[in-house]
Amino acid sequence: GLVSNLQLVQGVNSEGRSKAVYVMGPGSPDREPVSVRLHKLDISSSDGYGVDVMAATVEISECCVHHCSVCGISLAMADQSTVEDNVFLNNADGILVWKSGNGVQPPDAHTGQFPTQPSPVPFKPILVRGNQMFDNTGSGIGVHSHSNALLENNTVSGSGQSGVYFTDYALGKVRGNIIARSGMAGVSIKSGAQPLIQGNAIVDGRSAGVYIRGSAGGLIQGNWIARNAKAGVGIKQYATPAVEGNCIADGRASGICVHRTAGGEIRSNVIGDHPNDDIWLGAGATATLAQNSLQVTPADITEFATSMEMSNTTTVQETRVVGQLRSTFFRRERSVVQLPSSFGAGYSEQLRAQMCDCAQDFILPGEELLEFAGQH
């Protein structure tokens, strides 16, 4: 079915967990599956979820999801679903993905070994692409519980916790995103998760740029990681990621920090001078270091970073942020964008004012955000 061009506002209900939109599957494989498209909706829920999907398939596009006290969009067992070109504003968590897209299966409880055979049922990763996410008090995007998701070309700014969060054996690819001003790590990877983090700008966070712990792994490759309050990349508690070909600069602690009991492969990174060690290894850390460039001057950092391939993909849609990353993220100053009169048209004056404040405060991707908002 299709739901389009509506304003959906849900207040407090008797259960204390309201849902502006609830999509639930049939609960039995013998019944017809449920598939719904949500398009150009204004969705809010002051005491719960904006969109809650359980065992169904959804396509959510060009919606504004705001002021949801639990979560903007929750996807549980929602294989084949897509979330594209939406605005998320002032929710608790922005998007949460649970048991969707066929992530890593858990290890055997007795042997501790992971299954050697793939799942007999292949699923596409959940697709989260082209969304603009501002000032959500929890995480911007969370991928949990054996899920698999492709997060591409999103802007995630001002999250109260992590901008992007993988946990509990989740898989996924995170590429071409702008992850900025996170209250905790820009990207958190925990509890056995193993994503690919590639070609992103992870900047201006109040904690680490990327934080890996709890037997997690994955590949952190070709990212611009800058101006974060703690380590550019922090590795703890039996985590063993590969950290390769990143540009790490202007942090206020170490460039890469590997604590005791953690390890991994740290190679071919370009790291500017940091107040603490550019690469710090705690007693007992087992990381392998190779061909890293340390104490690189700001001029050489800029030269290297401007030549980086910020995404390993080839289509125009998948690389549309590259030029903006190269030309803008080297500026320390915030600039003010001139908003057109059509910005936020169609929304309430209060919401329009908040959207304008977000756009004025955040420098990237200004042109794309204004173009998107001008179409609504």
Side-chain angles (χ1 to χ4, degrees), residues 85 131 164 196 210 219 284 311 315:
D85 298 322
N131 300 282
V164 171
L196 166 65
V210 181
L219 173 60
S311 174
T315 68

Side-chain angles (χ1 to χ4, degrees), residues 7 53 60 67 96 116 131 145 148 195 229 274 323 339 342 344:
Q7 183 179 47
V53 181
I60 305 173
H67 297 93
L96 296 180
T116 57
N131 300 282
S145 302
N148 188 358
H274 285 73
L339 298 173
S342 60

Side-chain angles (χ1 to χ4, degrees), residues 325-341:
L325 289 173
R326 289 176 174 171
S327 65
T328 310
F329 262 106
F330 308 116
R331 306 176 194 169
R332 292 179 179 275
E333 307 84 22
R334 299 287 177 193
S335 65
V336 176
V337 296
Q338 184 65 41
L339 298 173
S341 59

Side-chain angles (χ1 to χ4, degrees), residues 18 35 51 92 126 140 144 153 177 303 321:
S18 52
S35 180
V51 181
I126 300 300
H144 307 281
N153 294 336
N177 301 278
E303 181 179 354
V321 300

Side-chain angles (χ1 to χ4, degrees), residues 10 56 190 197 248 298 322 329 355:
Q10 176 65 57
K190 300 180 181 181
I197 312 298
I248 304 173
V322 174
F329 262 106
M355 291 172 69

Side-chain angles (χ1 to χ4, degrees), residues 28-257:
S28 170
D30 299 328
R31 299 181 180 179
E32 288 294 320
V34 173
S35 180
V36 175
R37 184 183 179 204
L38 307 177
H39 182 63
K40 290 191 174 181
L41 301 177
D42 184 345
I43 299 171
S44 62
S45 178
S46 62
D47 191 53
Y49 298 82
V51 181
D52 188 12
V53 181
M54 176 71 71
T57 297
V58 293
E59 296 179 18
I60 305 173
S61 62
E62 298 186 50
C63 296
C64 183
V65 184
H66 59 98
H67 297 93
C68 299
S69 66
V70 175
C71 179
I73 294 177
S74 174
L75 305 173
M77 296 178 285
D79 297 306
Q80 316 294 325
S81 293
T82 62
V83 183
E84 293 191 80
D85 298 322
N86 304 280
V87 170
F88 292 80
L89 182 71
N90 289 133
N91 303 290
D93 292 303
I95 300 171
L96 296 180
V97 180
W98 309 89
K99 297 183 179 179
S100 300
N102 197 33
V104 177
Q105 300 302 307
D108 184 271
H110 300 290
T111 67
Q113 300 297 310
F114 286 89
T116 57
Q117 298 298 320
S119 169
V121 182
F123 290 110
K124 290 171 53 179
I126 300 300
L127 175 61
V128 180
R129 182 165 60 193
N131 300 282
Q132 309 289 339
M133 312 184 76
F134 298 102
D135 296 335
N136 298 292
T137 59
S139 59
I141 305 171
V143 183
H144 307 281
S145 302
H146 321 295
S147 294
N148 188 358
L150 170 58
L151 315 182
E152 191 171 67
N153 294 336
N154 303 284
T155 296
V156 185
S157 174
S159 302
Q161 298 180 22
S162 295
V164 171
Y165 187 10
F166 281 80
T167 188
D168 196 14
Y169 305 106
L171 284 176
K173 296 179 180 179
V174 181
R175 59 192 186 193
N177 301 278
I178 299 164
I179 303 167
R181 297 163 56 204
S182 303
M184 297 175 69
V187 177
S188 290
I189 305 169
K190 300 180 181 181
S191 304
Q194 301 178 49
L196 166 65
I197 312 298
Q198 183 182 64
N200 305 279
I202 306 170
V203 298
D204 296 326
R206 294 190 289 275
S207 186
V210 181
Y211 179 46
I212 311 104
R213 64 178 291 181
S215 302
L219 173 60
I220 317 302
Q221 183 183 60
N223 301 280
W224 168 248
I225 303 172
R227 304 189 300 271
N228 294 290
K230 295 186 178 179
V233 178
I235 307 170
K236 296 180 73 173
Q237 293 181 340
Y238 305 101
T240 55
V243 181
E244 176 182 303
N246 302 280
C247 187
I248 304 173
D250 295 330
R252 296 197 290 276
S254 296
I256 298 174
C257 195

Side-chain angles (χ1 to χ4, degrees), residues 301-314:
I301 284 282
T302 298
E303 181 179 354
F304 175 82
T306 53
S307 66
M308 289 174 68
E309 289 296 329
M310 296 304 295
S311 174
N312 202 31
T313 55
T314 57

